[in-house]
Amino acid sequence: VVNKLIAVDQRYAVSARDLADALTRVSSVADETGVSFDQLIGLVTAVQEKTQRGGAVIATALRNIFTRLESQTTIDQLRLLGVAIDETQNSVQKLQTLSTFLETADASTAAFAKSLAAGKQQINILSAALDGINNKFGTFSTATQNSADALTEGLDRSAKLNATLAAQIIAPVTDWTQI
């Protein structure tokens, strides 16, 4: 887990601390709605880069959005608008479907669909999550992939820090012994 957080922290405008804060608050709901750990890291990263909101705020919004997207009432209302959403999709797939629909929806329909999916309080977080969710080169996709590929980032970062600290300690000792 640490390697995943550090891998994303090093590449995006998100801190490992904000990621950890968000993950502790929304992981259980994400898991229940079929969102993988790596996808959740990708979503939090994409939203934070867009909104600069903290991990706790993002987690609260995502928890609300995931829960609403699981509601049969919400699914039925989105279908009536023309969103090709269904119960078998996980929350990321539902967000991708909603994003595709919004590309061609008029402004009032788009606003209503967003309010159904997120509620009025969370629309800005939803908009940030939807922005580029279908783009394979967008933050969501690349951060998700970076998280999935993470292996030794934590160890590598620790080794670099230890090397730097060692250099700072050894240099003065070396200078002193040369006197």
Side-chain angles (χ1 to χ4, degrees):
V1 172
V2 172
N3 290 325
K4 292 175 179 292
L5 301 182
I6 290 173
V8 174
D9 173 290
Q10 291 178 337
R11 292 176 180 89
Y12 301 93
V14 61
S15 70
R17 181 181 197 154
D18 275 329
L19 285 169
D21 192 23
L23 295 172
T24 58
R25 296 169 189 257
V26 73
S27 290
S28 63
V29 174
D31 185 52
E32 289 171 12
T33 62
V35 177
S36 75
F37 191 73
D38 295 320
Q39 288 173 322
L40 185 56
I41 288 174
L43 274 174
V44 171
T45 301
V47 170
Q48 179 144 25
E49 279 202 338
K50 209 73 160 137
T51 66
Q52 298 302 305
R53 303 301 298 266
V57 173
I58 293 169
T60 299
L62 289 177
R63 191 173 54 236
N64 182 13
I65 292 165
F66 293 160
T67 301
R68 288 172 84 84
L69 288 174
E70 287 299 304
S71 163
Q72 190 61 52
T73 303
T74 301
I75 292 170
D76 291 342
Q77 290 176 330
L78 287 169
R79 278 188 190 145
L80 287 173
L81 290 177
V83 181
I85 194 170
D86 71 62
E87 304 82 6
T88 64
Q89 295 172 314
N90 70 32
S91 287
V92 169
Q93 293 167 326
K94 289 175 183 172
L95 288 171
Q96 291 169 326
T97 300
L98 180 58
S99 177
T100 300
F101 170 78
L102 294 174
E103 291 172 5
T104 58
D106 63 72
S108 64
T109 304
F112 184 60
K114 286 180 182 181
S115 71
L116 286 172
K120 294 185 189 319
Q121 299 285 341
Q122 313 299 344
I123 287 179
N124 65 334
I125 301 291
L126 174 67
S127 295
L130 293 174
D131 187 38
I133 197 165
N134 288 328
N135 179 350
K136 68 179 179 177
F137 300 111
T139 301
F140 166 72
S141 295
T142 58
T144 299
Q145 193 60 52
N146 287 149
S147 175
D149 293 344
L151 297 173
T152 61
E153 282 76 358
L155 296 173
D156 295 345
R157 191 170 184 179
S158 181
K160 286 178 187 175
L161 179 60
N162 287 339
T164 303
L165 289 172
Q168 290 176 358
I169 293 169
I170 293 172
V173 171
T174 304
D175 290 344
W176 178 257
T177 59
Q178 292 176 355
I179 295 179

